[in-house]
Amino acid sequence: MRDDTKPQPPSPPRRSSVFQVPVTGERSKRWMKHYRTEIAASTSSVLSTFVAYPLDSVKTRMQAYKFPTFTGCVHHTYKTEGTLGFWRGGASLVLTMAEAVRANIPAWLGVTAPLASITLVRTVSFSIYQKAKYTYSAWFERVTGTAPLVTANTPRNLPTFSTVTCFGAAGATAGGIITLIACPFELTKLSAQISVLMAKTSATSVDDPIRRSYQQLGTFKTAKNIVKHRGVMGLYSGFHLHLLRDTIGTAVYFMTYESGKQMLATYGGSSPTSPLAVVTAGGLCGIVSWACIYPIDSAKSIYQRNCLTHSKSRPIPTPKIQFFSRRMYRGLGVSMGRSCVVNAIFFSSFEFIKKRINVLELED
């Protein structure tokens, strides 16, 4: 009896071409595993920044100008600039460039600054932090015989001097280095957020054209305008305050987050990367770090505003950092609330994405 069933052709041998799906998928998995920290940080940054950008805008306005209350600042911004005023410097978070052109909205200033700066800064910062954390842990192990990361990852252990110091030193290292990248971006973002307020502020006739020149500008034109009025180093106006803020703030930030996760896991009997531990520690690290550095951030915002509104020939004194002055804490509640939301979302997304990448199976 004849079998009419056609025999199946043999499977072709798998080639090493990038166009072969199995190979491409395998390479993608290896690439994702190698850069899992960067992928998780950049993706989470976009999400968390989108959610809380209006609060960041209100915080900056309250620091740079004398708004008595949060609601007063919100009301004034909405009345004078409309809803789009809360998104100055953040157009890329809501509209694409094509949509902005079709809508004919000139208020979208600094289209790429917030998304580019925050994503880049967080991605690089986390990458530096991860490398520094393991470097300092290895150094502690050589000196004391105990690795802080082993202690922190051992169930039922509470934070110790070595673990807190390791996390803090790694955070300070990341914060100090990242200032070199972040300062120009933050300055252009601040310019976009307060450009309307700068233009309406009374000043001398000499400075008036400078203040008004920052209106209706995008990111790169704002940077070009700063260079025009203050030179290339004008992009680093307030660098000394920015460096102080980020070195201290990032150290406190990671100390609180890592130690918070460890304590919650110990007392809650769960994993340090459980959703509850991550959300709680993430929100807490944002609140604690901003509470510690807020007067420094306020001084930075005031100093940078003064640099933008005055000519280069006029010396700009550095504001005193007054930790016990009420005016230095204008907008603190907004900032802490914003930071709590941002970091709870960020770390939840960050840990989730890392977990998903870690479980990817690789072929032997």
Side-chain angles (χ1 to χ4, degrees):
M1 185 175 182
R2 189 176 62 183
D3 186 3
D4 293 331
T5 304
K6 295 182 179 180
Q8 296 295 323
S11 300
R14 188 169 61 181
R15 300 175 184 176
S16 59
S17 169
V18 295
F19 298 103
Q20 294 292 329
V21 174
V23 176
T24 302
E26 186 68 14
R27 289 182 178 178
S28 297
K29 289 178 183 179
R30 292 185 184 280
W31 183 85
M32 290 175 68
K33 278 184 171 290
H34 184 74
Y35 293 105
R36 59 186 178 274
T37 297
E38 290 79 3
I39 294 171
S42 57
T43 305
S44 303
S45 292
V46 174
L47 176 63
S48 58
T49 301
F50 173 81
V51 172
Y53 190 82
L55 290 176
D56 180 68
S57 183
V58 172
K59 183 267 294 182
T60 301
R61 292 162 186 264
M62 292 185 71
Q63 286 179 319
Y65 292 90
K66 295 181 180 180
F67 289 102
T69 63
F70 168 74
T71 54
C73 181
V74 171
H75 177 73
H76 181 273
T77 303
Y78 181 76
K79 183 178 179 181
T80 57
E81 304 175 49
T83 304
L84 301 183
F86 295 101
W87 294 93
R88 289 190 181 277
S92 57
L93 307 179
V94 182
L95 294 178
T96 63
M97 285 293 292
E99 288 172 329
V101 171
R102 288 198 299 270
N104 191 27
I105 301 173
W108 296 109
L109 306 176
V111 173
T112 59
L115 190 61
S117 65
I118 296 173
T119 301
L120 177 64
V121 166
R122 285 219 177 189
T123 303
V124 176
S125 178
F126 269 71
S127 181
I128 295 172
Y129 171 73
Q130 290 289 338
K131 290 178 174 60
K133 180 171 67 172
Y134 284 99
T135 299
Y136 292 140
S137 180
W139 181 83
F140 266 102
E141 186 175 16
R142 287 196 300 270
V143 173
T144 66
T146 303
L149 292 184
V150 174
T151 302
N153 292 322
T154 302
R156 302 290 181 182
N157 276 355
L158 290 173
T160 64
F161 175 79
S162 64
T163 61
V164 173
T165 303
C166 178
F167 297 140
T173 301
I177 294 174
I178 207 63
T179 306
L180 293 167
I181 301 174
C183 190
F185 282 109
E186 282 210 18
L187 184 61
T188 55
K189 183 186 73 170
L190 179 138
S191 172
Q193 289 176 332
I194 65 174
S195 61
V196 173
L197 292 171
M198 285 195 298
K200 292 182 178 179
T201 304
S202 60
T204 64
S205 58
V206 175
D207 294 328
D208 189 65
I210 296 176
R211 293 184 294 104
R212 295 184 181 279
S213 69
Y214 288 98
Q215 284 193 290
Q216 311 297 339
L217 298 181
T219 303
F220 296 106
K221 287 186 177 180
T222 297
K224 185 178 178 181
N225 205 39
I226 293 172
V227 173
K228 175 184 175 182
H229 293 303
R230 304 196 65 84
V232 175
M233 293 308 297
L235 293 170
Y236 284 88
S237 299
F239 176 81
H240 57 300
L241 293 170
H242 197 145
L243 177 63
L244 181 63
R245 184 200 72 175
D246 279 9
T247 301
I248 298 173
T250 312
V252 175
Y253 181 84
F254 281 112
M255 279 194 297
T256 305
Y257 176 67
E258 300 281 14
S259 299
K261 281 199 309 177
Q262 190 180 354
M263 292 180 68
L264 288 166
T266 298
Y267 290 115
S270 60
S271 167
T273 57
S274 66
L276 179 60
V278 170
V279 169
T280 305
L284 186 63
C285 75
I287 293 173
V288 174
S289 61
W290 272 111
C292 293
I293 64 169
Y294 200 77
I296 304 174
D297 187 62
S298 292
K300 181 189 78 75
S301 295
I302 294 170
Y303 181 81
Q304 290 180 326
R305 177 207 64 188
N306 292 341
C307 289
L308 293 171
T309 55
H310 294 88
S311 62
K312 185 180 179 181
S313 59
R314 177 178 295 193
I316 307 297
T318 300
K320 292 182 179 179
I321 302 173
Q322 300 172 312
F323 283 93
F324 301 102
S325 174
R326 184 177 179 180
R327 71 183 184 87
M328 298 300 287
Y329 290 91
R330 287 197 301 259
L332 175 60
V334 181
S335 185
M336 292 176 71
R338 165 195 162 277
S339 188
C340 179
V341 172
V342 165
N343 286 289
I345 294 173
F346 174 83
F347 278 111
S348 296
S349 174
F350 178 78
E351 297 289 358
F352 174 79
I353 293 172
K354 281 188 66 177
K355 281 183 179 180
R356 298 290 294 179
I357 294 175
N358 285 335
V359 298
L360 292 176
E361 295 183 357
L362 298 176
E363 295 182 3
D364 296 332

